[in-house]
């Protein structure tokens, strides 16, 4: 044979190799951009492959050659080529099968004279090709299931990521609505650790806010602002108008403070106070606060004009040092303390409406930019006189009201002014909301409106995000081999080895389908051997019966529950059908969830099917030894037709790769073992007189190449399935992790929000479907209000200007006292008490803020009114007992002074970025007055409250021309 005679063969094999590479490249690139192009490429590829496979047998027709790779072309039609339609894949596979039989009938088997033998060979080949098509469909369907499951899991993963991002944004806004940035990170970490410990059933040794989060800040400026004639406004306006007015005022104050780089601390009723110079130092902190004070005057003038109200602002500003941080264990709020804070507060109290009252310390930091007049307010206040404070008044220039700027313009002009030279005739830009008023209205009228709108926007963007994410899914061959995320591309193991074992022991719900498919493979092997062998030895028949019995036992055990569940008619749980169904369910669950049992079943079934497949080779060797010559065609072809023996072994290898969720390496070992056994027996087979697919290859070598290449092809298919399984598991793990993190974030959000607002109010703001345009408010007919102040303490030393250790120790003591008061809220005496706020050493609480009584003006039962008063008084007595215990431990002389009143109260949420739940009304004002005018160690109540207490057997001592007093001993 000359080399020129093999030139057509070489050309065909070269074309085959090039087409395989081109098909894969086109599938990964052009196939994604042009919908029709993959189908055109597929048709041309199949035509060229089939033509090259048919050309060689036809070209060498005298050698009785057979098609070389028809079965591999069929597998390529179902798995490797870019065919989207299952029907198209089946049509292409069927067409390749017909071409295969044309070559067999007119070339390969043309010298067989016996029609019976010819028919047997054709039928055997038909059974094999039918199995190849069936297995192609099987692997195609399984891959589609894997891809769809991967798509769905990826979809959930993307959605989870978007929701997590929303949760993180919500958590960030919530956190920053309570705390400054420099403390928020520490608190967030502690909250996460606590929630994770609770999830793991570990009792945390540290409770968030149990410790002390404080920090010293020097060179800052404090601003206190109070609404003048506020009480008159509350009596004049309706409930909703009060909430709307405060919401508008404080919302605009928040916006202005943000523009001026001033940190809002909190507001107490009608008092608003803030600090500039924290958390980051700012050399212009004094200018910032004075500018904000003037902005506040402008804002309240606008509101006064728009709403026809007789209100004004009184503002006090002082520069110095503070301690900022958190105290207490519930309703956490950031606050500041120091003598300079008290000075700023006194400056506001002694100030004048519509003017900014500043100290000498602040004036020295203003660079001479403002006109001012000297004030003698310090001479009228003992505290300011004791601190040697000099005070001054800055009056807004009426001409400035004609100048306006949008917030962005105001900020930029202000920044330019900071770098400008000193100018006493400087005219400041007046704060005005401008076009931002409409945009900010929702944010001022409803807490977290921004996040709710973002959430709705996120929902609308999910489909676009999902489409983009799915298009970028690493499902192609290139990504599988070179860019597989988190997966070793060659070993197909997770780079994170902690994921490996959980993946290997995952339940396999498809295991029963693998067993059913193995039974069909067994029948196909038996049919091929029945048509090709002259007779079946009893040992072969016994082996087939044994394997069949084992499969017929295993299949009902795995399918019994599903079958009985569908056909069961008797619904009686104690019936025989139900008991049988439950038994099958337990068995199926055991096999499905036990990886060891599945491996044992897989090895057993694969080994027995392999034994059935190679028994014809063993028999053939024995037959050849006993018969040196063959007398007729049937005897002659009994053992000299290795292609059908190759087909049975190929089916056995197919059966070993059917179990898609079995470990990739184990299946490769089993497939390699079957191939090795086949190679051993086929290479020792003598007197072979059969066709091959190349004139230079012996039949045994051609069979070995075919079976080896089939094993390699099935391994490639298996790698794709394994990669999809691992990718899906990796995304599920990511999804579980993100869902857990989202749950943690949701827990933190809930915890934080419930510590800003009462629980029933917090639920409203956690609802992302709520209406954002409606400000929250409630009106109550009867609520008991308490102000409790710790008195006779010395917070600072008057002759010391700088911080000292005494400041921090006093804050620690304050934290312990407030924390002990907070603990009373979870005791029976405090379960209906709602903590409102803490201001300095004053603890404010209320009883009777029942959930869901929004805008309720109906009369309240007399018994309920009496109960809330008594409960709050008893709570106040418990607070006194707690303080006495702490006083004895620290050997201090401070006492508790309490004021209580009851009556109509308005509750609502006001504020912009930093919303706050508060209550307003005459009862609140009277309770505050009862505290400020009360006596140490006693509870002062109003006259109407005293009458209720007397009816309940609690004795009250009336003061002349004043409300009643009661000792804690009067309360039982």
């Amino acid at each position: 044979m000359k080399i020129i005679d093999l030139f057509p063969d070489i050309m065909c094999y070269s074309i085959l190799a090039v087409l395989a590479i081109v098909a894969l490249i086109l599938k990964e690139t052009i196939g994604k951009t042009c919908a029709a192009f993959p189908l055109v490429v597929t048709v041309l590829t199949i035509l060229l492959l089939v033509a090259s496979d048919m050309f060689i047998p036809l070209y060498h027709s005298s050698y009785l050659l057979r098609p070389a790779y028809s079965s591999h072309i069929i597998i390529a039609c179902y798995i490797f080529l870019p065919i989207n339609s299952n029907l198209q894949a089946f049509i292409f596979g069927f067409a390749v099968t017909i071409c295969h039989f044309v070559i067999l009938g007119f070339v390969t088997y043309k010298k067989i004279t016996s029609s019976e033998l010819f028919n047997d060979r054709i039928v055997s080949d038909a059974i094999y090709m039918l199995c190849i098509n069936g297995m192609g469909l099987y692997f195609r369907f399984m891959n589609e299931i894997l891809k769809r499951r991967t798509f769905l899991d990826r979809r959930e993963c993307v959605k989870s990521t978007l929701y997590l991002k929303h949760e993180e944004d919500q958590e960030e806004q919530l956190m920053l609505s309570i705390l400054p940035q420099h403390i928020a990170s520490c608190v967030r970490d502690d909250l996460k650790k606590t929630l994770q410990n609770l999830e793991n059933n570990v009792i945390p040794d540290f409770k968030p806010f149990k410790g002390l989060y404080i920090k010293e800040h020097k060179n800052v400026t404090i601003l206190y602002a109070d609404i003048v004639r506020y009480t008159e406004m509350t009596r004049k306006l309706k409930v909703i108008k009060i909430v709307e007015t405060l919401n508008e005022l404080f919302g605009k104050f928040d916006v202005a403070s943000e523009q001026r780089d001033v940190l809002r601390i909190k507001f107490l009723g009608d008092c608003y106070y803030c600090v500039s110079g924290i958390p980051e130092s700012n050399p212009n902190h004094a200018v910032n606060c004075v500018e904000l004070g003037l902005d506040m005057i402008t804002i309240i003038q606008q509101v006064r004009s728009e709403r026809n109200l007789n209100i004004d602002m009184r503002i006090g500003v002082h520069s110095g040092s503070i301690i900022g941080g958190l105290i207490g264990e519930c309703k956490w709020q950031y606050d500041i303390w120091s003598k300079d804070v008290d000075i700023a507060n006194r400056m506001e109290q002694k100030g004048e409406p519509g003017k900014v009252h500043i100290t000498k310390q602040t004036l020295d930091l203003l660079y001479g930019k403002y006109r001012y007049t000297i004030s003698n307010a310090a001479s009228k206040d003992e505290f300011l006189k004791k601190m040697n404070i000099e005070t001054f008044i800055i009056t807004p220039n009426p001409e400035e009201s004609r100048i306006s700027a949008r917030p962005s313009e105001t900020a930029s002009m202000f920044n330019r002014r900071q770098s400008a030279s000193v100018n006493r005739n400087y005219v400041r830009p007046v704060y005005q909301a401008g076009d931002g008023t409409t945009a900010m209205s929702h944010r001022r009228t409803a807490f977290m409106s921004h996040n709710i709108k973002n959430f709705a926007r996120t929902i609308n963007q999910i489909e676009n995000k999902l489409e983009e994410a799915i298009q970028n899914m690493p499902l192609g061959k290139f990504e599988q081999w070179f860019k597989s995320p988190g997966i070793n591309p060659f070993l197909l193991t997770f780079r994170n080895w902690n994921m490996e074992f959980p993946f290997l022991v995952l339940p396999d719900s498809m295991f029963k389908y693998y067993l059913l498919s193995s039974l069909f493979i067994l029948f196909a092997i038996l049919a091929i051997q029945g048509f090709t062998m002259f007779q079946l030895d009893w040992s072969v028949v016994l082996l087939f019966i044994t394997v069949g019995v084992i499969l017929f036992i295993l299949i009902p055990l795995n399918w019994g529950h599903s079958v009985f569940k569908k056909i069961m008619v008797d619904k009686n749980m104690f019936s025989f059908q139900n008991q049988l169904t439950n038994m099958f369910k337990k068995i199926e669950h055991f096999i499905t969830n036990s990886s060891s049992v599945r491996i044992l079943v897989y090895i057993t079934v694969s080994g027995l099917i392999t034994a059935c497949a190679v028994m014809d080779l063993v028999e053939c060797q024995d037959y050849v030894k006993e018969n040196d010559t063959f007398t007729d065609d049937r005897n002659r072809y009994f053992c000299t037709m290795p292609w059908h023996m190759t087909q049975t072994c190929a089916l056995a290898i197919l059966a070993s790769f059917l179990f898609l969720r079995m470990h990739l390496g184990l299946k490769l070992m089993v497939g390699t073992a079957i191939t090795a056994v086949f190679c051993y027996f086929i290479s020792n087979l003598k007197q072979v007189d059969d066709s091959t697919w190349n004139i230079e290859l012996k039949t045994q070598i051609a069979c070995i190449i075919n079976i080896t290449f089939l094993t390699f092809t099935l391994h490639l298919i298996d790698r794709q399935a394994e990669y999809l399984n691992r990718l899906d598991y990796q995304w599920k793990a990511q999804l579980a992790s993100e869902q857990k993190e989202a749950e943690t974030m949701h827990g933190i959000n809930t915890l934080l929000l419930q510590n800003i607002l009462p629980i029933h109010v917090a639920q409203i703001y956690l609802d992302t479907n709520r209406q954002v345009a409606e400000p929250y408010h409630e009106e109550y007919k009867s609520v008991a209000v308490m102000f409790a102040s710790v008195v006779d303490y010395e917070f600072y030393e008057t002759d010391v200007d700088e911080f000292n250790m005494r400041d921090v120790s006093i804050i620690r003591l304050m934290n312990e006292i407030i924390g002990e008061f907070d603990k009373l809220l979870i005791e029976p005496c405090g379960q209906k008490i709602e903590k409102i706020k803490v201001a300095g050493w004053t603890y404010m609480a209320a009883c009777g803020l029942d959930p869901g009584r929004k805008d309720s003006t109906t009369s309240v039962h007399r018994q309920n009114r009496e109960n809330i008063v008594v409960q709050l008084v008893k709570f106040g007595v418990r607070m006194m007992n707690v303080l006495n215990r702490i006083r004895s431990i620290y050997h201090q002389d401070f006492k508790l002074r309490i004021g209580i009143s009851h009556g109509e109260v308005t509750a609502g949420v006001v504020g912009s970025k930093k919303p706050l739940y508060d209550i307003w009304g005459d009862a609140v004002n009277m309770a505050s007055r009862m505290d400020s005018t009360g006596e140490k160690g006693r509870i002062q109540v109003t006259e109407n409250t005293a009458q209720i207490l007397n009816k309940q057997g609690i004795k009250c001592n009336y003061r002349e021309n004043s409300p009643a007093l009661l000792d804690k001993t009067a309360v039982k």
Side-chain angles (χ1 to χ4, degrees), residues 249-307:
L249 273 176
F250 292 145
K252 289 183 176 180
F253 290 170
D254 286 346
V255 174
S257 64
E258 184 178 6
Q259 292 174 1
R260 300 297 184 187
D261 196 18
V262 180
L263 178 66
R264 200 287 302 278
I265 304 301
K266 65 173 69 171
F267 43 82
L268 307 172
D270 60 329
C271 178
Y272 185 105
Y273 66 101
C274 48
V275 178
S276 180
I278 63 171
E280 300 297 332
S281 178
N282 189 332
N284 298 300
H285 54 86
V287 176
N288 291 347
C289 281
V290 172
E291 288 289 327
L292 178 60
L294 296 173
D295 286 342
M296 288 178 168
I297 294 172
T298 302
I299 289 170
I300 202 165
Q301 288 174 350
Q302 293 174 352
V303 174
R304 178 175 60 195
S305 175
E306 293 171 359
R307 294 182 177 268

Side-chain angles (χ1 to χ4, degrees), residues 274-527:
C274 48
V275 178
S276 180
I278 63 171
E280 300 297 332
S281 178
N282 189 332
N284 298 300
H285 54 86
V287 176
N288 291 347
C289 281
V290 172
E291 288 289 327
L292 178 60
L294 296 173
D295 286 342
M296 288 178 168
I297 294 172
T298 302
I299 289 170
I300 202 165
Q301 288 174 350
Q302 293 174 352
V303 174
R304 178 175 60 195
S305 175
E306 293 171 359
R307 294 182 177 268
N308 193 25
L309 297 173
N310 184 22
I311 55 176
D312 211 331
M313 291 302 295
R314 190 172 55 235
I315 297 169
V317 179
H318 173 62
S319 301
S321 303
I322 62 169
I323 297 176
L326 308 173
I327 60 172
E329 295 192 15
C330 68
K331 291 296 183 292
W332 309 310
Q333 295 175 0
Y334 182 78
D335 211 342
I336 55 175
W337 309 270
S338 75
K339 70 173 182 180
D340 293 315
V341 174
D342 285 352
I343 291 173
N345 190 8
R346 293 299 181 97
M347 291 294 294
E348 175 271 312
Q349 294 176 14
K350 299 302 178 182
E352 300 179 20
K355 299 179 181 180
V356 180
H357 194 198
I358 65 173
T359 63
K360 181 68 166 58
Q361 289 85 341
T362 301
L363 181 65
D364 292 341
L365 299 173
L366 297 180
Y367 314 114
K369 292 184 177 181
Y370 303 91
R371 298 186 181 95
Y372 59 85
T373 59
I374 299 175
S375 171
N376 61 349
S379 62
K380 301 177 183 179
D381 187 277
E382 292 297 327
F383 179 80
L384 295 178
K385 186 187 299 183
K386 184 178 181 180
M387 295 296 168
N388 298 318
I389 299 298
E390 300 180 41
T391 65
F392 306 88
I393 294 291
I394 295 178
T395 303
N397 189 343
E399 296 179 358
E400 293 180 358
S401 60
R402 297 192 300 268
I403 302 173
S404 63
R406 294 183 184 181
S408 59
E409 297 170 349
T410 302
S412 61
M413 293 171 67
F414 177 58
N415 292 334
R416 291 195 298 270
R417 185 178 71 252
Q418 290 181 344
S419 59
S421 59
V422 175
N423 181 7
R424 287 183 176 272
N425 296 321
Y426 158 73
V427 179
R428 60 179 294 277
V430 179
Y431 167 84
Q432 183 171 327
D435 292 343
T437 303
T438 304
M440 294 296 298
S441 61
H442 287 309
R443 193 174 75 170
R444 290 196 296 268
T445 55
F447 171 48
M448 288 180 63
S449 301
H450 176 70
N451 266 336
I452 293 175
K453 292 178 180 179
N454 278 348
F455 181 76
R457 193 179 300 113
T458 298
I459 296 297
N460 294 332
Q461 292 177 350
I462 280 181
E463 293 302 325
N464 295 333
K465 295 285 186 180
L466 288 174
E467 183 178 355
E468 179 183 352
I470 289 176
Q471 287 179 353
N472 296 328
M473 287 175 64
L475 299 181
K477 299 295 183 298
F478 180 78
E479 289 89 350
Q480 178 179 341
W481 284 98
F482 300 103
K483 288 187 177 181
S484 50
I487 301 175
N488 187 301
F490 298 101
L491 299 178
L492 284 185
T493 55
F494 293 112
R495 300 184 190 277
N496 180 7
W497 284 97
N498 293 328
M499 300 176 64
E500 192 67 29
F501 181 75
F503 172 76
L504 295 178
V505 298
L506 281 175
D508 186 3
S509 58
M510 303 294 291
F511 192 74
K512 56 186 178 182
Y513 294 97
Y514 307 153
L515 292 175
L516 191 62
S517 300
S518 299
L519 182 63
F520 289 120
I521 293 290
L522 180 68
F523 286 150
I525 293 174
L526 177 61

Side-chain angles (χ1 to χ4, degrees), residues 721-748:
E722 181 79 2
Y723 174 74
L724 290 175
N725 271 317
R726 288 180 176 268
L727 193 63
D728 179 62
Y729 178 77
Q730 187 172 257
W731 281 334
K732 282 184 177 178
Q734 179 184 347
L735 175 63
S737 175
E738 289 180 349
Q739 287 177 339
K740 184 177 180 180
E741 186 175 353
E743 290 175 0
T744 302
M745 289 297 178
H746 181 70
I748 293 175

Side-chain angles (χ1 to χ4, degrees), residues 510-687:
M510 303 294 291
F511 192 74
K512 56 186 178 182
Y513 294 97
Y514 307 153
L515 292 175
L516 191 62
S517 300
S518 299
L519 182 63
F520 289 120
I521 293 290
L522 180 68
F523 286 150
I525 293 174
L526 177 61
I528 291 174
Q529 291 187 2
F531 280 107
T532 56
M533 298 184 69
F534 180 72
Q535 62 182 8
L536 290 177
D537 190 74
W538 67 270
S539 59
V540 177
V541 176
L542 181 61
L543 180 60
F544 273 100
I545 293 174
T546 302
V547 179
V549 169
I550 292 175
L551 287 175
F552 274 111
I553 293 175
L554 289 174
I555 289 174
L557 291 178
N558 285 271
W559 282 88
H561 173 251
S562 302
V563 173
F564 276 99
K565 188 177 180 180
K566 290 185 177 181
I567 65 174
M568 187 177 64
V569 178
D570 191 358
K571 302 299 182 180
N572 183 8
M573 61 180 299
F574 298 105
S575 66
F576 174 75
Q577 287 184 353
N578 262 306
Q579 292 179 358
L580 191 62
T581 302
N582 291 332
M583 181 191 70
F584 279 122
K585 180 180 180 180
K586 292 179 181 179
I587 295 174
E588 180 182 349
H589 183 269
F590 174 72
I591 296 175
T592 301
N593 289 272
S594 175
S595 58
S596 302
V597 173
R598 295 200 307 269
I599 291 174
L600 179 62
V601 172
Y602 166 72
I603 293 176
T604 302
V605 171
S606 298
L608 291 174
I609 291 178
T610 302
C612 293
V614 300
M615 280 301 293
D616 57 351
L617 288 171
V618 176
E619 274 198 45
C620 188
Q621 279 190 334
D622 295 337
Y623 188 81
V624 169
K625 292 178 181 178
E626 296 174 1
N627 301 275
D628 294 334
T629 59
F630 304 113
T631 57
D632 54 23
D633 280 347
R634 178 164 287 278
N635 287 333
R636 180 173 180 271
Y637 284 107
F638 170 67
C639 286
T640 57
M641 195 60 183
W643 282 109
H644 292 93
M645 300 175 186
T646 303
Q647 291 170 357
T648 57
C649 286
L651 292 179
I653 295 173
L654 275 173
S656 68
F657 281 93
L658 287 175
F659 296 73
L660 296 181
R661 283 288 294 114
M662 202 58 59
H663 190 270
L664 177 78
L666 179 61
K667 285 184 284 187
L668 181 60
M669 290 173 59
V670 172
T672 304
I674 298 173
T675 303
V677 170
F678 170 79
C679 292
Y680 170 77
F681 283 109
I682 200 72
S683 60
N684 292 329
L685 193 61
K686 299 179 180 179
Q687 298 190 18

Side-chain angles (χ1 to χ4, degrees), residues 756-793:
I756 308 173
L757 311 171
I759 294 178
H760 69 283
V761 181
Q763 295 301 324
I764 296 175
Y765 289 100
L766 284 174
D767 183 11
T768 54
N769 295 319
R770 69 181 181 85
Q771 297 296 321
V772 301
E774 182 183 2
Y776 177 81
H777 72 281
E778 287 183 323
E779 183 181 2
Y780 298 96
K781 192 68 175 178
S782 180
V783 172
V785 184
M786 178 186 71
F787 283 78
S789 298
V790 180
V791 294
D792 287 350
Y793 65 91

